[in-house]
């Protein structure tokens, strides 16, 4: 025991330099990165402010001035309703969660610093180093332990109170989001995806429709998925050939211009560069060498014709055991998702709501239910194996950089006396742990897809749970507590009776490791998040090295997306770390508050100005999972308190009623928390996933309620949430609702009302720079225009308003099949321009009558043509004239779309593939490749069009591209092929 005690003292002595070194290092690194961001932000709009131009007008954020710190007040003054309008409910609830946890730790920091910390410092328990600040410095027999118990009860009550309030807010917002016209106007709101259909239903749309006609409003349309594996292979091969040909043509054009300039400068005759060759066989050195341009173009033409032939008749593809069912009423879809649909085992047992074609994992739709179940067992076993392997790996890595093992290396015996030692032990273990954990989500996400999960959003939502519990085990319990657990286990084997004695001294000793980990993520992590160094490199550095074609250059410009599945569990882990040590080492509360405060500020900027949120639309379903993970942190902290009091009792020679009560109270706290958790599951969880029938009825009777941001803290019925008609009252009502939304989780609603009654000027609308809010001085920024009694019957309004699907049974008109479509023709113009859909940019002017690029013989004329083309498509302002390549808008089909439009939108991507190809390559400035481009189009036999708009070769020979130009737009391809036909005829 003496050696162990000496080692413990030595570790405690090292805790101060380890902590200070980590604090200084992370603060310096974080500050440097923040300064770099403030300098780079005004200069790189495409990285740091794409949401000021790359989204629809109603979702744009106003530009921020170039003053380095101007972004902070700009993001903090945006009201809650404006946040929901711009970035959606998912982001709003995530920001509310971060703000709520920040407020929780601010309050805990204040309470613990004025109560628990002084008790720990004056405890006279003989602790050294940072342990002086922990409960380890309080003797087991001291009555001061009651301070920890009482205030821990206050801590738990404060957290549970915030959870209840936030759940009340979320349930109100969830119902409002489900019934809001901007959501119900999309056909996905009233659509379900059913898997594992029995054979009796698979072969007949009528039988499927008859089955689901049992639900209110009946079925509008049924689409059965088809096996298109052969067509998918053709499309994949075609796309591979297209990528190769674009790369070769781009390289050849750049090389031709370079050689022409050299020959002109030297006064010699220009010789075209050698054309690349390739073999048809994939086996090396087999077959004759062929001209790459001719071979690839011919191959693409052949594949395009096969794609057109196979896709012309979708009925030839085998029907499979999954289908999309479109209801006439939204409530019918929610009822179907909760109903037992078949009497056979596992038949129609997978029903998904809120369907978007882009969210579907098509390869997993038709798995046999038994096959899917076997896969889930294999995935679970693989996950357990990964947990074991990762546990051993992380333990080995953290042990490798531990004090004890470093001293065994020759020459490092006195390493503890150097300043480098403190920095090394404070930074390296946390950094190594963060790097190792970054690899894990890739593997877990792959396993979830292999299970047969049918939607990307479902994969991410399930990954939220797996990754969180993986982090709790590997990061929190294994990595951070490795030294404490091993010490307790080793000494416990020698003297089993000493295990209880070791807990009060060893567990608090891990607070230094927790502090260094939180410091790393709080300062360096938040700064790295806002700097977006990877995105910066992808957009401005890597394209110079690897992106050699216009298409690859534009792919590097893809807007950044937030990784929900890994970010939320990480923040939940930090809450667990902070709250579980809130009474053990109160100083942890302060750094947890800093962590959540910094990330809350950073995320407000990222979501309002950077992140593309269009691919994650779940209506805030990640928020209940965050609440569940928060409850895990509460449970673990309560178990810690109970074990700590038990350990203190075991170390107390004078066991009395007072010492026993110190165990009973933590046990009661744990029991009450279990009751609270059961209440949450019974009261809130059933009304989160599905639309309540009563809510649907009330909204149908009074649709105006769903058009306005709700009173989130109200406890009354939805029908009590009346809308004012007086402009002054409307403005005051909006301010009141924003105050409720902002401060309702901090103070009781009655106190807010009391203050507002005493100080009515607080209800005066504030002047804001927000263009959304300033557009109307009499009402709040709405998701959709507010419907009043006088305007409800206005013909103009009816044309602008979407069709709210919970009270409409509109059905589309089936249009004839088009000869130019691979499947049922799409009324795409109707889908894009349907009433009050997200505004789409007008299509570019039809230039099919313009002369072909191959008819230009003068280099001067060619350069003029190129400049004119660039002038018409490179400016950001051209987004007002045509559809943006990376426009962050949700273009899902609306309920007003026809049956054929739905058939194409929800068909297999292979059936939606174009049977024509645009090769996006630059023109050289001297017309050297005109003949080659014409030959490529000829070899493609009418299915290939060489497109040079939006790209060129600059004076240095580098390929440039307009990142907003989309050569693969379907209408553009049709016009391009039409233009080619006219050129050929002439």
């Amino acid at each position: 025991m003496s050696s162990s005690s000496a080692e413990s003292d030595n570790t405690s002595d090292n805790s101060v330099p380890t902590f200070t070194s980590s604090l200084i290092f992370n603060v310096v690194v974080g500050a440097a990165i923040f300064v770099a961001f403030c300098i780079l932000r005004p200069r790189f709009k495409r990285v740091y402010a794409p949401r000021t131009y790359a989204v629809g007008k109603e979702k744009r954020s106003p530009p921020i001035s170039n003053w380095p710190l101007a972004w902070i007040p700009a993001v903090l003054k945006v009201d809650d309703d404006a946040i929901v309008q711009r970035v959606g409910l998912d982001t709003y609830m995530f920001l509310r969660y971060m703000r709520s946890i920040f407020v929780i730790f601010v309050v805990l920091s204040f309470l613990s610093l004025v109560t628990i910390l002084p008790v720990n410092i004056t405890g006279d328990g003989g602790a050294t180093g940072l342990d002086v600040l922990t409960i380890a410095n309080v003797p087991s027999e001291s009555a001061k332990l009651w301070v920890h118990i009482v205030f821990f009860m206050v801590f738990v009550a404060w957290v549970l109170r915030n959870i209840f309030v936030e759940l009340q807010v979320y349930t109100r917002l969830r119902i409002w989001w489900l019934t809001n016209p901007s959501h119900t106007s999309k056909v996905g709101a009233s659509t379900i995806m059913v898997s594992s259909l029995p054979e009796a239903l698979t072969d007949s749309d009528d039988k499927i429709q008859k089955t689901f006609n049992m639900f209110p409003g009946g079925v509008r349309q049924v689409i059965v998925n088809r096996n298109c594996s052969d067509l998918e292979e053709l499309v994949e091969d075609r796309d591979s050939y297209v990528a190769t040909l674009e790369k070769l043509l781009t390289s050849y054009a750049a090389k031709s211009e370079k050689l022409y300039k050299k020959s002109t400068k030297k006064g010699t005759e220009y010789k075209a560069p050698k054309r690349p060759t390739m073999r048809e066989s994939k086996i090396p050195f087999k077959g004759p060498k062929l001209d790459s341009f001719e071979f690839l173009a011919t191959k693409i033409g052949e594949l395009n014709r096969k794609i057109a032939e196979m896709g012309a008749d979708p009925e030839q593809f085998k029907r499979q055991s999954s289908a999309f069912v479109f209801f006439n009423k939204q409530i019918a879809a929610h009822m179907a998702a909760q109903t037992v649909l078949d009497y056979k085992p596992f038949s129609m047992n997978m029903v998904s709501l809120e369907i978007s074609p882009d969210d579907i994992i098509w390869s997993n739709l038709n798995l046999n239910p038994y096959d899917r179940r076997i896969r889930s067992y294999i995935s679970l076993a693989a996950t357990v194996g990964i947990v074991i392997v990762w546990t051993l790996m992380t333990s080995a890595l953290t042990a490798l950089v531990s004090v004890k093992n470093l001293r065994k290396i020759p020459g490092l015996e006195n390493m503890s006396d150097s300043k480098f030692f403190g920095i090394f032990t404070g930074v390296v273990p946390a950094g190594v742990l963060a790097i190792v954990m970054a690899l894990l989500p890739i593997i877990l996400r792959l396993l979830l897809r292999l299970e047969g999960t049918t939607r990307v959003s479902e994969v991410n939502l399930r990954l939220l749970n797996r990754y969180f519990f993986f982090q709790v085990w590997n990061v929190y319990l294994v990595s951070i507590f490795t030294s404490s657990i091993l010490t307790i286990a080793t000494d416990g084997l020698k003297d089993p009776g000493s295990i209880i004695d070791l807990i009060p001294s060893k567990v608090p000793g891990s607070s230094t490791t927790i502090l260094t980990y939180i410091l790393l993520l709080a300062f360096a992590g938040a700064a790295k998040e806002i700097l977006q160094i990877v995105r910066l490199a992808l957009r401005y550095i890597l394209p110079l090295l690897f992106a050699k074609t216009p298409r690859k250059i534009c792919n590097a410009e893809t807007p950044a997306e937030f990784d929900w599945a890994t970010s939320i569990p990480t923040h939940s882990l930090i809450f667990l770390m902070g709250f579980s040590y809130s009474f053990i080492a109160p100083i942890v509360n302060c750094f947890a508050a800093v962590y959540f405060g910094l990330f809350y500020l950073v995320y407000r900027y990222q979501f309002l100005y950077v992140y593309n949120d269009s691919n994650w639309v779940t209506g805030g379903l990640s928020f209940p999972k965050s609440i569940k993970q928060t409850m895990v942190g509460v449970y673990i902290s309560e178990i810690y308190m109970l074990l700590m009091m038990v350990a203190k009792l075991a170390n107390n020679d004078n066991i009395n009623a007072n010492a026993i009560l110190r165990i009973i109270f933590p046990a009661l706290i744990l029991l009450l928390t279990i009751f609270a958790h059961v209440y949450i599951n019974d009261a809130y969880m059933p009304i989160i996933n599905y639309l309540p029938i009563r809510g649907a009825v009330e909204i149908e009777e009074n649709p105006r309620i769903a058009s306005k941001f709700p009173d989130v803290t109200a406890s009354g019925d939805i029908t009590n949430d009346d809308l004012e008609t007086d402009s002054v009252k409307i403005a005051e009502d909006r301010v009141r609702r924003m105050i409720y939304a902002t401060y309702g989780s901090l103070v009781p609603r009655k106190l807010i009302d009391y203050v507002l009654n005493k100080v009515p000027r607080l209800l005066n609308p504030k002047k804001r720079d927000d263009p959304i809010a300033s557009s109307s001085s009499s009402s709040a920024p709405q998701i959709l225009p507010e419907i009043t009694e006088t305007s409800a019957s206005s013909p103009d309004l009816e044309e602008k308003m979407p069709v709210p699907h919970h009270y409409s049974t509109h059905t589309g008109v089936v249009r004839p099949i088009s000869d130019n479509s691979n499947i049922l023709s799409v009324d795409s113009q109707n889908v894009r321009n349907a009433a009050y859909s997200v505004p789409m940019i007008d299509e570019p002017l039809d230039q099919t009558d313009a002369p072909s690029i191959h008819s230009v013989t003068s280099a001067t004329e060619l350069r003029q043509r190129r400049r004119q083309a660039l002038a018409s498509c490179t400016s950001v302002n051209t987004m007002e004239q045509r559809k943006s390549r990376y426009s962050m808008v949700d273009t899902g089909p609306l309920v007003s779309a026809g049956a054929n439009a739905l058939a194409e939108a929800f068909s297999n991507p292979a059936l939606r593939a174009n049977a024509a190809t645009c090769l996006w390559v630059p023109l050289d400035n001297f017309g050297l490749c005109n003949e080659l481009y014409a030959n490529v189009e000829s070899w493609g036999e009418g299915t290939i069009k060489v497109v040079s708009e939006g790209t060129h070769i600059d004076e240095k020979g580098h390929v440039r591209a307009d990142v907003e130009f989309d050569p693969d737009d379907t209408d553009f391809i049709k016009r391009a092929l039409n233009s080619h036909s006219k050129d050929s005829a002439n």
Side-chain angles (χ1 to χ4, degrees), residues 467-500:
Y467 190 62
F468 172 70
F469 287 105
F470 201 100
Q471 283 194 317
V472 171
W473 174 255
N474 273 277
V475 177
Y476 186 64
L477 297 178
V478 175
S479 301
I480 291 179
F481 287 104
T482 295
S483 58
S484 300
I485 294 174
L486 289 178
T487 302
I488 294 173
T490 303
D491 295 343
L493 290 175
K494 299 177 183 177
D495 183 11
S498 65
I499 293 179
I500 297 296

Side-chain angles (χ1 to χ4, degrees), residues 318-337:
K318 182 181 178 180
R319 297 164 65 96
Q320 295 194 316
S321 60
S322 61
F324 302 101
V325 181
F326 304 88
F327 290 96
N328 287 313
K329 286 195 173 186
Q330 180 188 23
I331 191 62
H334 285 258
M335 294 173 67

Side-chain angles (χ1 to χ4, degrees), residues 159-168 627 630-631 680:
V159 172
L160 292 179
R161 189 260 177 191
N162 277 271
I163 288 176
F164 278 109
V165 172
E166 292 301 321
L167 280 173
Q168 179 184 353
I627 294 298
T630 302
M631 291 300 300
I680 289 173

Side-chain angles (χ1 to χ4, degrees), residues 895-923:
V895 295
S896 56
N900 292 332
L902 296 182
E904 176 151 350
F906 285 87
S907 63
N908 190 293
L911 286 172
R912 285 180 268 149
N914 294 309
T917 300
C918 275
L919 296 176
W920 195 24
V921 293
L923 279 173

